[in-house]
Amino acid sequence: MSDLFHQQSPIVQIKLTEPKANQPLIREIPFQGFLNLRGRPNNPDFMTAVKKVLGCSLPIEANTVVVSGDYKIYWLGPDEWLVITPTEQQRKVQSELISALGVIFSSVVDNSSGVTIINITGDNAANLIARDCPLDLHSTVFKAGQCAQTRLAKSGAMIAPLLDGSGFELIIRRSFADYLLLWMQDALIEFEA
Amino acid sequence: MSQSFRIAQGGRIDRDNQLKFSFNGKTYTGQAGDTLASALLANGIHMVGRSWKYHRPRGILSAGAEEPNAIFQLEKGEKTIPNARATQVELYDDLDASSVNCWPSLDFDLLSINSKVSRMLPAGFYYKTFMWPKSMWMKYEHIIRKASGLGKSPEVNDSDRYEHSHRHCDVLIAGGGVAGLTAALAAGRAGARVILVDEQSEFGGMALSSYDKIDGQPVSDWIQAAVAELQELPEVMLLPRSTAYGYHDYNFLTINQRLTDHLALNNRKGGREKLWHIRAHQVVLATGAMERPLVHSNNDRPGIMLASAVSTYVNRYAVKPGERAVIFTNNDSAYQTALDLNAAGAQVVAVVDARSQSSSELANMVRSAGIEVMNSCAVVDTSGGKRLQSVQVMSLSSDGQSVSGQRRTLSCDLLAVSGGWSPVVHLSSQSGAKAVWNEEAAMFIPGEPVQQQASVGSANGTLELKLSLIEAANAGNAAAKACGFDSNMKAPQSDAVISDPIMPLWLVPSDKEKGREPKAFIDLQNDVGSADIELAAREGFHSVEHVKRYTAMGFGTDQGKTGNINGMGILAKTLNQTIAETGTTTYRPNYTPVTFGSMAGQNLGSRLFDPARKTAMHGWHEENGAEFEDVGQWKRPWYYPKAGETIHDAVNRECLATRNSVGILDASTLGKIEIKGKDSAQFLEMMYTNNWMKLPVGMARYGFMLGEDGMVMDDGVTIRLAEDHFYMHTTSGGAAGVLSSMERWLQTEWPEMEVFLTSVTDHWATAAVVGPNSRKVVSAICEGIDFSAEAFPFMASRVGKIGELECRINRISFSGELAYEVNLPANYGRFMWEKLMEAGAKYDITPYGTETMHVLRAEKGYVIVGQDTDGSITVDDLGMSWAVSKTKVDFLGKRSLTRPDTARTDRKQLVGLLTEEPDSVLPEGAQLVNDPGAATPVPMVGHVSSSYYSACCGHSIAMALVKDGRRRMGETVYAPLADGRVLKATITQPLFYDKEGAKSNV
Amino acid sequence: MLLIECPWCGERDESEFSYAGEAHIARPLETEKLSDEEWANYLFLRKNIKGLHREQWNHAAGCRRYFNVERNTVSYKISGSYKIGEQGPVGDDT
C-alpha cells in the first residue's frame, strides 16, 4: 500500500548510532500492527472466536507471550491482550476479529501508531535497562516466553526477553518514545569504555 | 621522601609509587595505598582543623567512616567535594585538600577566642541568644553560618556523571570484612546470587590491620584467596568502594559506589559514583564495630586517637602516629595497639587501664614487652596546644566514679584510647530492628530482625574472631537455604582468644571542682561536652532524642558515630537510670553522607529530568519556529513567532487569522479513550452529569465529570461510534487520571457492567482546523464525506479518507468558529498536517499554539478545567447548569450537589471582567476586592482565572471566580497588584465575542 | 520501598503501583435517599487505622488492575493481597 510510505516513526527525531565498546545495540522495529484486545477469558465463546482468527489460544497465564505464525500475543491483564501483527495484516486481523466476535462482549482497538518496538541486544542489554527499571531481569527469573509491563525510567514499558536470548524487546508508548530513547542514549555512555 | 613517620617495612602501601598532594596549600608526598589521613600522619601532621563552635585544634581521631575531625574540602571548582573524610579518601596524585573550619588559617584562627569564652557558649546557646528577637535571626544566621559550618557548597555545576542501577539478589552482604567474606563464600558456593558490598578499596575490613590467622594462614592470605574465589563465582557480584547507606522496607537497600574518586583527576573516566538500588531476598549485615573514645578533660587534642585506628595506621599504612605513646583503655583490645606500636619502634610509655586487673594473654604479652601497665588508673587531663604533649594520670576508684591520689604526668605525643566497641547497628536499626542494650558487653547490639536479615560478627557484638566466623558461616548458609540453595559450608577456623571483661566508663571523673573542670568532649564535630549533656538534663530534657536536638550531639556529617554512646551513658547517669532505659537515638538513612549527584543520577536537565511527551507533529513545530509550553508532560506549541514578533504580536496575528480565515492547532495531546460494550451508554450516564442514552450514532456531546464531592474533575467531548461504542476525549493533563478513575469504578464497583476501556491517546494525531475557511481546507483533502452544513452538522463525527487512509473528522469547536478536528493514526500525523497546510495555503492557513487557543476560547467564555476550576468549583459555579441532568437518578457526584455548602447560591461564580483601561491585562491569579482602601486584611471576593488581550475584541478580557458573581453584573471590583497598581474592572457575562454564536452555525 | 504482590503479576516494586485509599468502601446505591451525614460519611470519613489496614492499590505501570492489600500501617508489613470481591487474609496484628 502506497500510504505506508507516509509513515513516520515516533523516534524520527532520534539518531541511533552504532554501538561502541561494550554498548548494547538499540534498534527500532517500526510500523508493526498493534491490536489491543479485551474480552473475558472465562467466556468460551470469546476464547474460541479469537482462536479461530489468531490460530492459537490467548495466553491466560499472567505475563506470558504466545507466538502463532506471524502473530505475537502478549498478556496485558486478566482480560486484555496485545496482538502484534505484520503491518500489512493489521487491518485484516482487526476486521476478522471484530466479525468473529460479533456481539460477544469484547473490544478490538487499533493501537498501531500508539506504540513502537525497541530491541536492545548485546552483553549489557539487561544492564542498560536495569539502570532505571525495578524488574528482576536475571535470566533465571525472566525467561523467553515471559513478558512484563513495568516502570522504565520515568515512563513505562512492556519488556520481554528475546526468544534467541540476545536481549530484550521493549514496547513503548509513542509520546514517551523520544524521551525513552534520549534516556537510553544517555545510559549508553556508561558502557562506552 | 619526607614522610618521616613512615615505618621502614610492612603495611599495604605501594612503596614504589609515590604521590604528591597538597594540604592547605603546602605540598607533601604519600604512597599509593594511603588514605589522605595516613599520608598526613606519615608527614607528622595531626592537627587538621578546628572545632566548629570553640575553634579548638583538632586532629585525626579515627581511620574510618566515623571520623568527626578530619573533614576536608577536596579540589576546587567543578570537581570540589565538601566534607570528605580524610580517613576514607584514597590518596591520588595531585590531590588538593584544605581544612574546612578555620578562618583565616589553620594555624592562626581568629575565632578561637570562642574557646576562651566557652563558658558563655553552653548547650542551646545559639537558640537561646539568637532566636530573640525573632526578626533578627536571619541576620545572625548569616554571620553564624560563616563562622561555623563545614565545607563550602560548590559554586559551579558539578562536571561529573553519576550512574544508577537496579539489581535483585538472593543474598546481600553489607560489609566485606572476614565475617562478610565468610558469609559470601557460604552463600556464593551454594550458587546463590550474592552481592557483597564494602566501603573500602580492599575487602578484609579491620583484619587488614591485624596479624590474626584463619585456617592456619595469615589473615591477609586468607582474604586474598576468599576474594579470588568469589570473583570466579558467576552469580557473585563484588562491590568495593561501596557504602550500603540505606536499609529500607522489604530488603530494599541503597548503595553508593565510588567509581573514580581514587584516581588522579586527569585519569578519571566515566561516572563518578553509582547508586545501586538493590532488592535482596536475604540480607547479612557484617558491618563491624567502631571503637569508642573515652571522655576526660581535654580529650580532644591532636595526637589523641582511637587505639584501633593507631593499629590500622601502624599495620596497614606503615605509619607511626607518634613516637611516645600512652594507651588509655577500659578493655583488652587496646593492648594489641601497645604491641603494634612497640613492634613499630615507638615508645609505649604505659597502658593506663581503668580496670583493677588485666590478666589476659594479651595483657601479659604487653607486660612481657616491658611496657608498664597501670591498672585502676585513668587519664584525667592532657596538655599541649596543636599537638598533645603529656597526659595526667590518677587512680580511679573501682566503680569508676572518682579519682584520687597525685596527678602523674606522662610525657607523650600520642594517646591511644579505647572505651570499648560499638557494633555498627545502623543498618539493622534502619531495617526496623530496635537496638538492644547488652549490659555485660556494654554495647547496643542489633535487635530481633524484622526483615529477612541477620547480623553477624562484631556488627552483632561478637568481637571474637573465632565466634564471628562461625556466626557468619551459619548466616551465609541459612540465607542461601532460605532462597532454596543447599548450603552447608563449614566455618573457617581461628584460635580462641580469652579476654577480660570490659569496665564501662562513660565519663572519666575529674579531680577538679564540679563546673570548673576543663571541657571533656563527647561529640567532637559539634563541640558537645559532657557538661552540655548534664545541663540539658538539668533543664528538663530527658528524652535522648530531645537531648540530641538541644545539644546538637550526633548531628553533622559523622552523625555521632563515635560520641553518641558516651553521651547516652552520661545522660543515663545524670538521670540516674540505666542506658537501656535511656535508649538510643534513631538511626536513619544515610549511614554516611551521599552526594546529591548520586541521588539525581542522570535525571537532569531539560531532556531527562522529566519526560517530554511529543506529538507526531513535533518536528514540524520545531522546524517552523514554535515556542513550546509544558502541558502536563506534553510539549505543546505555545505560539509561532515570526521574525521580530513578540508573543503578543504573534498571538494577536494568530487570533485574527483564525477568526478571519483559518488556523490550525495540534490537538493530539487530548486524552482519547475507546469505550466498548453493551453497557457503555449506561456507564457514561454515571460518569458524566448529562444524558447519553439517546445520543445518536455519529454525534458527539460535551460533558462534565465530577468527583464524588460534586466538584468538576474533567470535561470533554464524547462521540457515539455505534450503539455500544463510544470515543471519549479528556483534557490533555487529565487523560491518565480519567482512565484509571473509570477503570476503578468498573473493576471495583460495577464489575457486572459490560464495558471495556482502551486508551488510544497515543494512536491518533489530531489537527484542529479552525475558522471560516476551515470547511474548504478540510474538504479539499478529505474524500467520502459530505461537508455541507446539513449533512455534517455541528457536533457530528464522520469517517472519510485522506488518500487511502481512513480518517475521522469531528465537527467540534473550542473557539466558536466553524471547526473540524481531523484525525489520522499518529504515524501519519506529520503527513496529515502537511497536507492540511498545503490545502490551506491559499487561505493563508495559520498554525497557532496554546496561547491563541486560550484567547479564542476565553473570548467565548469556554472554561479550561484546571485553570478556571481548581477542585472546588461545581458546574453551577461555572454557570453551566444546563450540562447537569435534572432527571437522572444518579451520576458520580450528584448527591454532593445538594449538600448545603454546594447548594449555596452565593458561592464563587464564573464571571467576565472588563478592565477600565482596555489595554490593561489583569494578571491571572490576581485577587479581587470590593474596596481596595478598606482596612487590612481587605476581604477578598475572588480571583482572576483567565486573562488575555483580545485582538478580536480590541481590549483585554478576563474570566474570574467572584463570590456571588452572577448577581453582581455591572458592579466594580479591584485587583490590587504586587507593584502597587490597583486595576479596576467591571463584572460582566463571561462571553466577549460573537455572543449569538452565529460563527459556528454555518 | 514496599514490595507489593499484585494478585496477577506477583511481587513487584512499589514504584509500579499507585495507592487508591481505604478498601471496602461500597458506593451507596440510592444516593438521593441518604442524609447529608450519611453521604459525608461515605465521602469523607476514613478509619485511619493504626495497625492492620485494608487498602486499594492499582498496578498502574503493570496490568492496571485494582486490588486490595492488607498492610500494617505501623510496621508496613503486608499480610496479603487479594482480588476485588475476594475475602482478604486474616493477618496477625504485629
Side-chain angles (χ1 to χ4, degrees):
Chain A
M1 289 196 292
S2 63
D3 58 51
L4 292 178
F5 173 74
H6 301 297
Q7 293 196 84
Q8 235 180 26
S9 144
I11 61 164
V12 65
Q13 293 188 294
I14 300 284
K15 281 195 180 64
L16 291 170
T17 51
E18 289 305 312
K20 281 184 279 186
N22 301 308
Q23 291 178 336
L25 176 71
I26 298 173
R27 283 295 173 265
E28 187 191 15
I29 314 292
F31 311 135
Q32 302 299 294
F34 296 91
L35 296 173
N36 190 289
L37 173 64
R38 299 196 69 168
R40 289 182 174 161
N42 57 3
N43 178 357
D45 294 343
F46 168 75
M47 297 301 280
T48 311
V50 172
K51 187 175 180 179
K52 206 172 73 190
V53 176
L54 299 180
C56 69
S57 294
L58 290 171
I60 49 172
E61 190 186 331
N63 298 303
T64 58
V65 191
V66 166
V67 179
S68 169
D70 287 344
Y71 313 142
K72 278 198 286 189
I73 304 126
Y74 293 73
W75 185 94
L76 293 179
D79 56 10
E80 190 168 5
W81 294 267
L82 178 66
V83 180
I84 304 185
T85 74
T87 319
E88 60 282 1
Q89 293 186 43
Q90 171 257 317
R91 284 217 181 173
K92 179 177 77 88
V93 176
Q94 184 178 5
S95 56
E96 283 177 12
L97 279 170
I98 289 170
S99 68
L101 287 163
V103 297
I104 298 167
F105 175 38
S106 63
S107 136
V108 184
V109 175
D110 180 19
N111 197 28
S112 301
S113 281
V115 288
T116 192
I117 298 178
I118 304 291
N119 281 356
I120 304 178
T121 53
D123 286 347
N124 279 311
N127 289 339
L128 182 106
I129 298 167
R131 282 178 57 95
D132 202 355
C133 173
L135 201 68
D136 189 351
L137 301 164
H138 195 267
S139 58
T140 57
V141 179
F142 195 42
K143 301 170 194 160
Q146 288 180 300
C147 63
Q149 298 162 92
T150 184
R151 179 177 69 74
L152 179 64
K154 293 185 177 182
S155 181
M158 154 72 85
I159 304 181
L162 289 167
L163 297 178
D164 63 4
S166 63
F168 298 87
E169 174 184 56
L170 275 60
I171 301 169
I172 57 175
R173 285 180 68 178
R174 162 179 270 279
S175 59
F176 287 98
D178 187 81
Y179 159 75
L180 280 171
L181 268 289
L182 288 173
W183 177 83
M184 284 177 206
Q185 288 188 319
D186 182 86
L188 281 175
I189 295 171
E190 184 185 353
F191 310 102
E192 210 168 60
Chain B
M1 65 185 192
S2 65
Q3 303 164 33
S4 44
F5 290 83
R6 187 72 73 186
I7 302 163
Q9 292 95 35
R12 303 179 68 82
I13 50 156
D14 181 354
R15 287 174 190 273
D16 298 330
N17 189 0
Q18 193 178 89
L19 305 171
K20 280 199 318 289
F21 71 99
S22 97
F23 174 62
N24 288 338
K26 277 180 76 176
T27 303
Y28 301 90
T29 65
Q31 304 299 129
D34 263 327
T35 62
L36 179 52
S38 69
L40 286 168
L41 291 170
N43 288 283
I45 296 168
H46 275 257
M47 181 181 166
V48 291
R50 287 181 180 268
S51 66
W52 77 282
K53 194 161 148 191
Y54 306 122
H55 288 250
R56 288 167 68 111
R58 290 283 162 81
I60 297 164
L61 177 78
S62 76
E66 65 271 45
E67 178 61 35
N69 294 337
I71 306 294
F72 297 156
Q73 188 95 16
L74 301 186
E75 307 303 339
K76 298 191 169 67
E78 63 188 20
K79 295 284 181 192
T80 197
I81 300 170
N83 301 334
R85 291 171 299 284
T87 49
Q88 293 194 299
V89 172
E90 292 177 56
L91 195 67
Y92 55 83
D93 215 15
D94 293 327
L95 182 151
D96 177 283
S98 44
S99 300
V100 296
N101 200 24
C102 51
W103 182 74
S105 81
L106 184 60
D107 285 335
F108 178 72
D109 187 319
L110 286 177
L111 293 158
S112 60
I113 187 71
N114 278 8
S115 184
K116 303 285 192 298
V117 297
S118 69
R119 256 167 255 290
M120 293 158 66
L121 294 169
F125 169 77
Y126 286 125
Y127 289 112
K128 286 170 181 165
T129 310
F130 295 117
M131 288 309 277
W132 189 91
K134 219 173 166 185
S135 58
M136 283 299 286
W137 169 246
M138 298 295 276
K139 291 206 172 67
Y140 293 139
E141 189 187 22
H142 190 69
I143 299 160
I144 294 168
R145 293 269 181 247
K146 191 169 178 186
S148 61
L150 287 166
K152 286 191 187 66
S153 297
E155 285 170 352
V156 293
N157 279 352
D158 186 341
S159 62
D160 273 310
R161 186 183 155 84
Y162 295 81
E163 316 286 6
H164 279 183
S165 192
H166 290 246
R167 279 293 184 285
H168 297 250
C169 66
D170 293 315
V171 186
L172 176 84
I173 298 154
V178 291
L181 287 165
T182 300
L185 284 171
R189 283 175 185 168
R193 289 161 72 186
V194 172
I195 297 175
L196 176 63
V197 181
D198 190 80
E199 64 181 356
Q200 300 206 49
S201 58
E202 291 185 88
F203 288 91
M206 289 290 282
L208 294 171
S209 311
S210 84
Y211 292 104
D212 290 324
K213 289 196 165 181
I214 295 180
D215 286 342
Q217 24 174 354
V219 69
S220 56
D221 294 354
W222 183 89
I223 290 167
Q224 199 180 353
V227 171
E229 181 179 347
L230 289 169
Q231 277 167 341
E232 290 303 309
L233 291 171
E235 295 297 348
V236 173
M237 181 164 85
L238 300 179
L239 291 180
R241 296 190 175 97
S242 301
T243 304
Y245 66 81
Y247 192 144
H248 314 271
D249 292 311
Y250 287 81
N251 274 356
F252 184 74
L253 285 91
T254 40
I255 290 157
N256 195 39
Q257 184 178 19
R258 291 165 294 280
L259 301 168
T260 59
D261 277 3
H262 59 292
L263 300 171
L265 291 185
N266 53 10
N267 286 340
R268 293 183 185 180
K269 281 193 192 77
R272 178 181 164 221
E273 295 182 342
K274 188 168 189 176
L275 170 52
W276 294 88
H277 300 88
I278 297 186
R279 183 83 73 172
H281 290 295
Q282 301 284 323
V283 172
V284 177
L285 298 176
T287 46
M290 283 174 182
E291 199 164 25
R292 312 195 277 248
L294 285 163
V295 183
H296 53 77
S297 293
N298 289 313
N299 61 338
D300 63 331
R301 297 191 196 284
I304 301 178
M305 301 175 75
L306 295 171
S308 59
V310 171
S311 285
T312 294
Y313 289 117
V314 170
N315 296 338
R316 181 168 174 184
Y317 299 105
V319 169
K320 227 181 324 178
E323 295 292 1
R324 284 175 58 82
V326 171
I327 316 286
F328 180 24
T329 185
N330 64 349
N331 69 97
D332 263 17
S333 65
Y335 281 81
Q336 183 63 52
T337 303
L339 293 174
D340 293 338
L341 280 167
N342 193 49
Q347 186 193 346
V348 181
V349 179
V351 175
V352 179
D353 192 332
R355 301 172 299 179
S356 58
Q357 57 171 3
S358 51
S359 52
S360 66
E361 196 185 331
L362 197 57
N364 289 332
M365 283 165 72
V366 168
R367 290 193 183 88
S368 306
I371 297 167
E372 183 185 359
V373 175
M374 304 167 70
N375 284 110
S376 295
C377 282
V379 171
V380 294
D381 205 347
T382 71
S383 32
K386 290 166 188 167
R387 181 72 189 266
L388 180 71
Q389 285 171 347
S390 65
V391 301
Q392 283 82 50
V393 179
M394 292 179 75
S395 292
L396 181 71
S397 62
S398 60
D399 61 1
Q401 299 301 312
S402 59
V403 286
S404 59
Q406 287 295 310
R407 280 187 172 212
R408 179 176 159 195
T409 299
L410 303 177
S411 165
C412 59
D413 61 359
L414 176 67
L415 176 65
V417 295
S418 177
W421 292 84
S422 295
V424 177
V425 299
H426 300 64
L427 292 181
S428 150
S429 298
Q430 288 177 23
S431 81
K434 248 192 149 38
V436 182
W437 178 250
N438 181 319
E439 186 67 35
E440 195 185 338
M443 55 172 69
F444 278 103
I445 59 170
E448 195 63 32
V450 299
Q451 301 200 32
Q452 298 298 307
Q453 168 254 314
S455 293
V456 300
S458 43
N460 196 35
T462 308
L463 299 180
E464 197 194 321
L465 180 59
K466 181 185 169 71
L467 300 178
S468 177
L469 293 171
I470 293 169
E471 215 170 72
N474 289 345
N477 287 332
K481 275 186 188 149
C483 299
F485 297 91
D486 191 20
S487 183
N488 286 302
M489 192 186 87
K490 280 168 75 177
Q493 295 296 302
S494 179
D495 292 335
V497 179
I498 293 155
S499 310
D500 288 326
I502 185 174
M503 170 184 166
L505 185 61
W506 309 116
L507 176 61
V508 178
S510 173
D511 54 335
K512 294 281 190 326
E513 185 194 338
K514 189 80 190 154
R516 308 303 302 174
E517 69 273 44
K519 281 210 165 293
F521 287 94
I522 291 162
D523 182 325
L524 295 170
Q525 191 169 91
N526 295 297
D527 264 357
V528 180
S530 58
D532 295 319
I533 305 294
E534 290 161 350
L535 175 69
R538 277 203 306 281
E539 293 192 356
F541 294 92
H542 291 183
S543 154
V544 64
E545 299 283 7
H546 292 158
V547 170
K548 168 181 171 171
R549 282 153 185 83
Y550 192 56
T551 64
M553 171 183 86
F555 281 27
T557 67
D558 68 334
Q559 290 285 294
K561 289 189 176 61
T562 51
N564 268 9
I565 179 67
N566 289 323
M568 292 167 209
I570 292 166
L571 179 65
K573 190 187 155 219
T574 311
L575 297 174
N576 201 19
Q577 62 189 23
T578 65
I579 293 181
E581 286 162 348
T582 307
T584 167
T585 50
T586 310
Y587 297 87
R588 295 192 183 86
N590 302 336
Y591 173 65
T592 46
V594 179
T595 60
F596 285 115
S598 172
M599 290 183 226
Q602 286 308 104
N603 298 318
L604 301 169
S606 58
R607 299 184 320 160
L608 298 179
F609 179 71
D610 199 37
R613 297 178 71 182
K614 294 179 178 171
T615 73
M617 289 82 98
H618 189 87
W620 190 95
H621 304 320
E622 279 183 355
E623 290 158 29
N624 287 275
E627 294 290 331
F628 289 88
E629 179 182 38
D630 289 342
V631 179
Q633 291 177 316
W634 288 100
K635 292 281 173 204
R636 297 194 69 176
W638 185 17
Y639 61 99
Y640 298 80
K642 290 189 170 171
E645 276 187 340
T646 64
I647 177 170
H648 302 294
D649 299 338
V651 169
N652 290 347
R653 170 179 54 75
E654 291 170 13
C655 285
L656 290 168
T658 304
R659 291 258 185 244
N660 295 330
S661 178
V662 62
I664 182 169
L665 169 81
D666 184 349
S668 308
T669 60
L670 285 179
K672 305 168 205 82
I673 300 165
E674 285 208 24
I675 301 168
K676 175 84 192 305
K678 72 172 171 56
D679 298 319
S680 296
Q682 190 61 50
F683 175 66
L684 291 178
E685 291 272 299
M686 286 303 292
M687 298 309 300
Y688 281 126
T689 57
N690 49 352
N691 293 301
W692 293 85
M693 300 303 283
K694 290 182 183 148
L695 178 68
V697 170
M699 294 302 289
R701 188 163 285 173
Y702 174 78
F704 278 110
M705 272 182 204
L706 310 184
E708 280 281 63
D709 60 359
M711 302 303 151
V712 172
M713 183 181 94
D714 206 80
D715 70 341
V717 169
T718 291
I719 306 156
R720 189 166 213 163
L721 302 178
E723 276 304 308
D724 64 345
H725 197 176
F726 292 81
Y727 185 101
M728 174 186 282
H729 290 97
T730 74
T731 58
S732 297
V738 168
L739 179 64
S740 59
S741 162
M742 293 200 299
E743 278 287 359
R744 187 179 184 192
W745 287 110
L746 286 172
Q747 290 178 29
T748 67
E749 204 66 34
W750 309 311
E752 71 288 347
M753 270 196 174
E754 291 201 352
V755 180
F756 279 133
L757 309 174
T758 306
S759 167
V760 287
T761 300
D762 283 21
H763 175 67
W764 293 101
T766 306
V769 183
V770 179
N773 285 317
S774 59
R775 181 179 281 136
K776 293 175 197 154
V777 174
V778 177
S779 59
I781 69 157
C782 182
E783 291 157 25
I785 297 177
D786 179 353
F787 278 91
S788 68
E790 306 72 44
F792 194 168
F794 184 54
M795 294 305 268
S797 175
R798 298 289 181 263
V799 175
K801 287 214 153 181
I802 297 176
E804 294 167 31
L805 298 163
E806 195 170 274
C807 65
R808 178 167 287 281
I809 316 280
N810 304 320
R811 192 176 158 189
I812 305 172
S813 179
F814 195 46
S815 58
E817 295 296 326
L818 174 70
Y820 299 88
E821 288 185 2
V822 185
N823 297 276
L824 270 188
N827 286 351
Y828 301 97
R830 179 151 184 173
F831 163 73
M832 169 182 78
W833 184 272
E834 286 176 344
K835 289 278 271 189
L836 288 165
M837 288 303 295
E838 201 182 300
K842 63 177 136 175
Y843 309 103
D844 196 20
I845 190 167
T846 300
Y848 67 88
T850 49
E851 191 65 21
T852 292
M853 177 190 85
H854 279 223
V855 177
L856 298 177
R857 64 90 199 177
E859 287 169 347
K860 292 293 292 179
Y862 299 153
V863 300
I864 289 192
V865 171
Q867 174 163 347
D868 301 300
T869 73
D870 60 5
S872 71
I873 302 296
T874 66
V875 176
D876 184 65
D877 297 340
L878 296 174
M880 298 171 83
S881 287
W882 52 264
V884 181
S885 163
K886 311 286 181 294
T887 54
K888 280 203 289 187
V889 176
D890 200 5
F891 54 83
L892 295 180
K894 180 173 196 288
R895 177 61 185 81
S896 285
L897 300 181
T898 54
R899 291 175 58 227
D901 189 63
T902 328
R904 260 192 309 124
T905 55
D906 60 347
R907 290 171 57 86
K908 281 192 182 177
Q909 293 156 346
L910 188 79
V911 295
L913 291 180
L914 290 174
T915 49
E916 189 178 39
E917 295 288 325
D919 289 346
S920 302
V921 180
L922 290 159
E924 287 174 355
Q927 292 292 325
L928 301 170
V929 301
N930 289 334
D931 175 9
T936 53
V938 183
M940 292 181 283
V941 296
H943 68 273
V944 177
S945 60
S946 293
S947 179
Y948 313 93
Y949 181 78
S950 164
C952 300
C953 299
H955 56 76
S956 78
I957 57 169
M959 288 153 85
L961 290 152
V962 175
K963 218 173 159 203
D964 206 15
R966 283 205 290 273
R967 273 209 292 260
R968 299 190 56 192
M969 292 300 144
E971 292 183 23
T972 302
V973 286
Y974 298 87
L977 306 183
D979 62 9
R981 285 183 302 151
V982 178
L983 297 184
K984 186 177 172 187
T986 306
I987 297 175
T988 68
Q989 293 293 336
L991 175 57
F992 306 96
Y993 181 81
D994 183 27
K995 295 183 183 174
E996 318 73 43
K999 290 200 77 181
S1000 64
N1001 190 21
V1002 289
Chain C
M1 191 72 82
L2 299 176
L3 190 64
I4 298 171
E5 188 182 353
C6 166
W8 289 274
C9 303
E11 285 184 339
R12 295 286 187 92
D13 190 87
E14 182 184 334
S15 65
E16 290 188 7
F17 297 86
S18 61
Y19 185 65
E22 187 177 318
H24 302 295
I25 296 171
R27 186 171 194 272
L29 286 177
E30 295 178 297
T31 56
E32 75 281 10
K33 292 187 181 161
L34 299 183
S35 68
D36 282 341
E37 195 183 343
E38 287 167 324
W39 180 248
N41 238 330
Y42 156 72
L43 198 55
F44 301 121
L45 297 188
R46 297 295 179 264
K47 294 197 192 101
N48 198 22
I49 285 169
K50 181 180 180 183
L52 284 182
H53 185 237
R54 303 274 178 105
E55 55 200 21
Q56 268 185 12
W57 287 81
N58 180 16
H59 192 188
C63 65
R64 302 196 299 119
R65 292 309 101 176
Y66 285 84
F67 59 96
N68 293 328
V69 167
E70 184 180 79
R71 183 177 64 98
N72 188 309
T73 57
V74 180
S75 68
Y76 285 17
K77 202 170 124 190
I78 291 172
S79 32
S81 301
Y82 55 103
K83 296 175 186 173
I84 302 295
E86 287 182 352
Q87 282 290 322
V90 186
D92 58 49
D93 200 358
T94 54

